[in-house]
Amino acid sequence: MAAEQRKLLEQLMGAGASSRHAQLSLSDPKVCRSYLVGTCPHDLFTNTKQDLGPCPKVHSEPLKTEYETSADKSRHGFEYDYMRDMQKYIDECNRRIDAAQRRLEKTPDEIRQTNDL
C-alpha cells in the first residue's frame, strides 16, 4: 500500500522530489541556518500575533544532524547569524511591547479625572 502511494506521489511530483533534500549541503542558501543551529524563529511564534508565517527555507533533519556532528562548527559562522537573527526578533518583540504599553499609559487628564473620583 505504501509503495503504491509513493509511486503515485513520484508520478505527480516528479522522480527527484523525494531526493531534493538529499542534494542540499550545509552551505546551500536554501537551507535554514537558524534551524540547523537551534530553532527557526518562524516555528517559535506560530498561532500568535508575532506569527512570521512558514519559513521560506528548507528544514532538513539530516542536515541538522550533520551540522551537530560536525567537528568545526565555527567555520560556518551559523551561530553568529543565529544570534544576530534572534536578537533582531527579540528587539522587534520588545518594540511591540513598548508600543502597547505606551498605548495603555494614562494621560494627565485621565490621571486628574481618576484622582477627582
Side-chain angles (χ1 to χ4, degrees):
M1 179 77 174
E4 293 172 12
Q5 289 177 343
R6 188 176 304 112
K7 185 177 176 184
L8 233 146
L9 187 62
E10 285 181 3
Q11 284 177 349
L12 291 173
M13 306 222 15
S18 62
S19 64
R20 189 174 301 146
H21 296 300
Q23 297 172 358
L24 297 175
S25 69
L26 288 175
S27 59
D28 196 319
K30 295 176 187 172
V31 175
C32 180
R33 292 179 173 191
S34 295
Y35 178 77
L36 295 179
V37 175
T39 305
C40 179
H42 293 265
D43 296 339
L44 291 176
F45 303 114
T46 55
N47 299 325
T48 67
K49 287 184 178 181
Q50 301 288 346
D51 193 350
L52 300 171
C55 184
K57 297 188 176 193
V58 175
H59 292 186
S60 173
E61 194 63 38
L63 285 177
K64 185 173 186 172
T65 306
E66 179 184 337
Y67 177 75
E68 289 172 351
T69 58
S70 171
D72 192 16
K73 293 180 184 179
S74 62
R75 176 175 61 99
H76 299 291
F78 293 172
E79 288 88 1
Y80 176 77
D81 293 340
Y82 177 70
M83 294 303 289
R84 185 192 64 220
D85 291 344
M86 292 306 288
Q87 189 61 51
K88 182 179 73 170
Y89 291 119
I90 290 169
D91 292 342
E92 176 66 20
C93 288
N94 287 338
R95 186 190 63 75
R96 288 184 179 193
I97 289 169
D98 290 342
Q101 286 178 339
R102 280 194 304 275
R103 284 193 305 267
L104 291 175
E105 290 177 358
K106 292 183 178 182
T107 64
D109 291 335
E110 292 173 330
I111 293 171
R112 197 173 328 108
Q113 289 175 351
T114 306
N115 290 339
D116 290 343
L117 294 176

